[in-house]
Amino acid sequence: NARELGKYLKENPKNTTFGVSIAATLPTGQYFDDKLINVGQNRFIIRPQFGMVHNWNNWSYELTGSLFIFSNNNNFFGAQTKKQEPIFALQTHLIKRFNPKIWASMSASYGIGGESIVNGVSNADLRTNFLTSAAFGFKLTKFQSCKIAYLNSVTLKDLGSNTHSFIFGWSHILL
């Protein structure tokens, strides 16, 4: 819980933690093989992730690597089979906690891969993206907090778009 984590960090101001996780996206939702655009993808996505966080006093550094592995969609538009090559993503965050209620961060992420192949023919749609962000967060009450962030996304290939996003988030913890 949060109290135990706070106690641990106070007793161990310098520490490093390594972790692994695996997530799965299931092919749920409606899917129509006679429509090119669908909400669902009609395939599984498995994402193993490896990461580390190093804390020193009020600073944290995080580094994670993820691999997105896609199953085939054997019922793609027009009775075709769509395959997609894996996507590798690497992201890093530097976080400064000013006090228990206020923090700021800078982040960067790079992703490459994901070329799709339909019926054995490449779509030449390799994805390569670089993202950067800066965020500021603060606690409003014991169970509520806000975050303000700026996100810049740059596509390093012709596929995708360059974006500038401003984000406002509000969180409420239910117990």
Side-chain angles (χ1 to χ4, degrees):
N1 72 33
R3 186 171 289 141
E4 290 174 355
L5 177 61
K7 180 182 175 189
Y8 174 81
L9 291 175
K10 198 174 280 186
E11 293 171 356
N12 302 280
K14 292 183 182 176
N15 62 75
T16 304
T17 304
F18 294 90
V20 296
S21 70
I22 189 161
T25 302
L26 306 177
T28 60
Q30 287 187 323
Y31 184 81
F32 302 99
D33 62 351
D34 62 335
K35 300 196 182 326
L36 182 58
I37 309 243
N38 276 281
V39 174
Q41 297 185 47
N42 196 38
R43 62 184 176 171
F44 290 89
I45 304 170
I46 307 297
R47 182 176 50 97
Q49 186 172 20
F50 305 91
M52 61 80 63
V53 60
H54 177 71
N55 293 299
W56 68 101
N57 301 314
N58 292 325
W59 289 89
S60 294
Y61 174 73
E62 300 174 3
L63 179 67
T64 58
S66 301
L67 186 65
F68 296 77
I69 303 167
F70 305 91
S71 69
N72 293 345
N73 178 349
N74 295 318
N75 204 20
F76 188 62
F77 179 69
Q80 302 180 87
T81 297
K82 180 180 181 180
K83 299 178 181 182
Q84 186 170 358
E85 296 296 321
I87 295 175
F88 173 73
L90 186 67
Q91 57 181 300
T92 185
H93 312 280
L94 181 63
I95 304 159
K96 167 71 169 155
R97 292 177 300 280
F98 296 99
N99 62 48
K101 296 182 179 184
I102 300 173
W103 61 268
S105 69
M106 293 175 47
S107 303
S109 179
Y110 177 77
I112 186 167
E115 183 175 15
S116 62
I117 301 155
V118 178
N119 282 352
V121 178
S122 170
N123 284 325
D125 58 352
L126 178 74
R127 291 142 179 85
T128 306
N129 299 299
F130 183 68
L131 292 87
T132 55
S133 70
F136 176 76
F138 53 94
K139 255 185 157 176
L140 295 170
T141 68
K142 185 175 180 178
F143 299 107
Q144 296 182 50
S145 63
C146 284
K147 177 169 83 169
I148 300 165
Y150 168 74
L151 174 66
N152 178 43
S153 172
V154 177
T155 299
L156 304 175
K157 294 283 184 180
D158 290 338
L159 179 70
S161 62
N162 298 336
T163 63
H164 300 277
S165 303
F166 291 94
I167 302 157
F168 175 77
W170 171 72
S171 299
H172 180 76
I173 298 171
L174 300 174
L175 296 179

